[in-house]
Amino acid sequence: MNPIVGLHHVTAIASDPQQNLDFYTEVLGLRLVKRTVNFDDPGTYHFYFGDDTGTPGTVLTFFPWPHARRGSAGAGEVTHTAFSIPANAVEYWHQRLTEKGVLVERSGKRFDGAEDVLTLADPDGMKLELVAIADAPELTGSRYADVPQEYAIRGFFGVTMLHLELAPSEGALNLLGFVRTAEEGNRFRFRSPDGAVLGNQLDIVVDPNAGYGRSGAGSVHHIAFRATDDASEVAWQQKIGTALSVTPVLDRQYFHSVYFREPGGVLYELATDNPGFLYDEDAATLGEMLKLPTWIEPQRELVEARVLPITMSQSSTTAKEAE
């Protein structure tokens, strides 16, 4: 059983699909690496944004439900999703975001100054962080973005979860191989000893007086950890099942998944690295076409009639097109 080395992806809820697409490609410079539908609700898009080829540990995905009411973060939820940026990129991103009308806050430095944090929100109010670190991963940004490679987002840094108490959620992370490595006030840091930097910082902020949130646009639906392959996933599924209720393996076309909820309330997923986002598209054309799984493909005409038309900009793909 190979170790879990960090995050595979994070999935959130948005409202307007065009607004969501434009922000993550035009403002943050991520690449739309896959455009498909919510397999459980085929009338809704499922967007995947990541580095140039959708490397596991870089991909933020969204279910954009038009007219979805805005959610609110609270206990038992992910409150902040953090990306890594190079140590020299803070001023670039502060200026870029400000020029694009995005309110960005210099949140200061964490853990003895090792992390310089910028905090912002996307159009649906989802809290994001850009964390400048000295050892930002060497990843290739979107080939179509106007962000210079030297400043490009380098995949996930990690996530912050808010909990009423630490012990139950710490136990679930320990089960997955994550150990507590640092603490600062009421913030506790967990890492996989076998992982590198990419998506391997999981923070729990403990506030026994925190209220509960409400799911909706701008809230994180679940976070997914990396299983290297199918055999490892099944082995982990069995181990997780000794302590928590876990689903059967589900085919998500670009990875295979099991789901389980940790004691504090956050929905976890374990997703395989294989087969990946190049499974049905070439690297040069990722995200250009609406891709449907084989069991939904016979309903393509109906699906395309239900999803809202979107305009693909040059920063999203190679072409400008409307669907």
Side-chain angles (χ1 to χ4, degrees), residues 29-65:
L30 301 180
R31 187 177 183 189
L32 180 68
V33 295
K34 195 63 60 181
R35 177 164 42 127
T36 181
V37 292
N38 183 332
F39 293 173
D40 300 316
D41 180 14
T44 301
Y45 284 120
H46 194 173
F47 292 157
Y48 293 77
F49 303 101
D51 73 343
D52 196 56
T53 55
T55 303
T58 74
V59 180
L60 178 58
T61 96
F62 285 91
F63 302 132
W65 277 297

Side-chain angles (χ1 to χ4, degrees), residues 261-274:
R261 196 172 295 275
E262 57 89 30
V266 177
L267 181 61
Y268 285 173
E269 175 184 354
L270 186 61
T272 58
D273 285 357
N274 59 290

Side-chain angles (χ1 to χ4, degrees), residues 4-310:
I4 295 171
V5 296
L7 294 173
H8 182 280
H9 66 269
V10 174
T11 294
I13 300 170
S15 55
D16 181 77
Q18 186 70 58
Q19 178 179 253
N20 180 255
L21 173 66
D22 291 345
F23 179 81
Y24 284 96
T25 58
E26 297 292 311
V27 177
L28 293 190
L30 301 180
R31 187 177 183 189
L32 180 68
V33 295
K34 195 63 60 181
R35 177 164 42 127
T36 181
V37 292
N38 183 332
F39 293 173
D40 300 316
D41 180 14
T44 301
Y45 284 120
H46 194 173
F47 292 157
Y48 293 77
F49 303 101
D51 73 343
D52 196 56
T53 55
T55 303
T58 74
V59 180
L60 178 58
T61 96
F62 285 91
F63 302 132
W65 277 297
H67 311 301
R69 68 174 185 174
R70 181 165 290 195
S72 59
E77 295 184 90
V78 171
T79 60
H80 295 74
T81 300
F83 292 103
S84 295
I85 57 173
N88 66 339
V90 174
E91 291 303 325
Y92 171 85
W93 279 103
H94 188 270
Q95 181 177 344
R96 178 183 176 87
L97 292 167
T98 300
E99 289 176 350
K100 290 184 176 294
V102 178
L103 183 63
V104 56
E105 173 188 350
R106 294 180 181 269
S107 302
K109 297 188 177 184
R110 291 185 189 145
F111 295 109
D112 298 323
E115 303 161 10
D116 197 356
V117 183
L118 295 176
T119 303
L120 61 143
D122 78 0
D124 288 302
M126 178 176 166
K127 289 293 182 70
L128 303 170
E129 292 177 338
L130 300 181
V131 182
I133 52 175
D135 56 347
E138 291 295 330
L139 295 168
T140 303
S142 170
R143 67 187 67 189
Y144 304 117
D146 63 353
V147 178
Q149 178 61 32
E150 62 185 299
Y151 301 129
I153 285 173
R154 305 295 177 83
F156 287 126
F157 180 76
V159 296
T160 297
M161 298 174 277
L162 176 63
H163 287 311
L164 301 177
E165 55 182 330
L166 179 64
S169 295
E170 180 171 14
L173 288 175
N174 292 162
L175 178 69
L176 300 178
F178 289 81
V179 297
R180 193 196 307 187
T181 58
E183 57 186 88
E184 190 173 73
N186 65 338
R187 179 182 294 271
F188 300 85
R189 169 69 51 84
F190 296 85
R191 290 173 55 95
S192 166
D194 300 295
V197 177
L198 188 61
N200 193 28
Q201 283 66 226
L202 304 177
D203 287 1
I204 293 179
V205 170
V206 179
D207 181 357
N209 299 312
Y212 290 98
R214 181 183 67 235
S215 179
S219 64
V220 171
H221 186 271
H222 64 269
I223 63 174
F225 296 92
R226 289 180 66 182
T228 54
D229 52 36
D230 294 286
S232 286
E233 179 169 69
V234 171
W236 276 108
Q237 178 195 39
Q238 294 172 352
K239 181 175 181 179
I240 294 165
T242 63
L244 300 169
S245 177
V246 61
T247 70
V249 176
L250 301 176
D251 184 358
R252 297 310 192 190
Q253 192 81 350
Y254 308 106
F255 43 86
H256 306 132
S257 300
V258 296
Y259 299 83
F260 53 102
R261 196 172 295 275
E262 57 89 30
V266 177
L267 181 61
Y268 285 173
E269 175 184 354
L270 186 61
T272 58
D273 285 357
N274 59 290
F277 295 104
L278 297 175
Y279 170 74
D280 56 3
E281 289 180 291
D282 293 333
T285 58
L286 283 173
E288 289 194 17
M289 302 296 294
L290 178 64
K291 309 300 291 187
L292 301 177
T294 54
W295 59 92
I296 297 179
E297 184 62 46
Q299 305 174 52
R300 174 174 286 274
E301 186 174 342
L302 177 61
V303 169
E304 291 180 339
R306 291 183 60 186
V307 296
L308 291 179
I310 55 173

